[in-house]
């Protein structure tokens, strides 16, 4: 009978070890699964198409430079505005006469000597952007993302 107790105690020990291993494996798998559920895959940002507004080209008489070297110069300029969404585009189209007027006023103050340089063109873009980015009515503020020149001819 002593051998039977040894055999049964060894069998019990083996069963306990198998049970502990099964519980450990189940706990490990549950823990790994819960980690995968909490660490979500980074969502890809939503790609939206750019929204552009093409203004009719402008022909503007430029003032003479300080040195009076460039007298009676004319600027022919095509402008495209980039905005964040269709709502802002609609607001700009509703206020298109004001938009065109503001672009004309800003551009007509430029000197030929300045506009011949790249820095002058970039500065003009910023001035147009800052002038047009504003509250157009009680509900809508429009932020111009970018001002692009499609035509730029000085004669």
């Amino acid at each position: 009978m002593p051998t039977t107790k040894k055999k049964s105690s060894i069998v019990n020990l083996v069963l306990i070890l198998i049970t502990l291993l099964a519980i450990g494996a189940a706990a490990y798998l549950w823990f790994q699964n819960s980690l995968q559920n909490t660490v979500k895959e980074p969502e890809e940002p939503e790609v939206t198409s750019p929204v552009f507004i093409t203004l009719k080209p402008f022909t503007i008489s430029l003032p003479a430079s300080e040195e009076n070297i460039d007298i009676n110069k004319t600027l022919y300029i095509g402008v495209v505005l980039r905005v964040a969404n269709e709502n802002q585009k609609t607001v700009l189209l509703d206020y298109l006469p004001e938009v065109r007027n503001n672009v004309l006023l800003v551009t007509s103050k430029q000197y030929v000597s300045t506009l011949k340089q790249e820095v002058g063109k970039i500065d003009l873009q910023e001035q147009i952007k800052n002038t047009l980015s504003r509250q157009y009515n009680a509900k809508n503020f429009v932020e111009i993302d970018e001002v692009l020149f499609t035509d730029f001819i000085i004669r």
Side-chain angles (χ1 to χ4, degrees), residues 43-56:
E43 295 180 15
E44 292 188 26
E46 186 178 319
V47 178
T48 58
S49 298
V51 179
F52 293 108
I53 302 167
T54 303
L55 302 178
K56 290 181 183 177

Side-chain angles (χ1 to χ4, degrees), residues 44-131:
E44 292 188 26
E46 186 178 319
V47 178
T48 58
S49 298
V51 179
F52 293 108
I53 302 167
T54 303
L55 302 178
K56 290 181 183 177
F58 297 88
T59 303
I60 303 156
S61 294
L62 297 174
S65 64
E66 296 86 13
E67 301 88 30
N68 289 329
I69 298 171
D70 299 313
I71 299 175
N72 297 326
K73 292 291 185 170
T74 303
L75 173 65
Y76 178 82
I77 186 171
V79 178
V80 175
L81 306 173
R82 182 177 181 172
V83 293
N85 55 45
E86 289 292 329
N87 182 43
Q88 291 188 0
K89 178 179 180 178
T90 303
V91 171
L92 285 176
L93 290 174
D94 289 344
Y95 288 86
L96 193 57
E98 285 184 35
V99 170
R100 287 187 56 81
N101 179 63
N102 291 338
V103 172
L104 279 169
L105 290 176
V106 169
T107 308
S108 65
K109 296 176 186 174
Q110 306 299 312
Y111 291 111
V112 175
S113 57
T114 306
L115 291 178
K116 286 183 178 179
Q117 301 171 9
E118 183 177 357
V119 175
K121 292 176 183 83
I122 293 170
D123 183 50
L124 177 59
Q125 286 176 319
E126 285 301 312
Q127 287 179 34
I128 293 171
K129 180 179 173 181
N130 294 336
T131 301

Side-chain angles (χ1 to χ4, degrees), residues 10-23:
I10 291 174
V11 170
N12 284 340
L13 183 63
V14 169
L15 289 176
I16 290 172
L17 286 175
I18 291 173
T19 305
L20 288 175
L21 286 172
I23 290 172

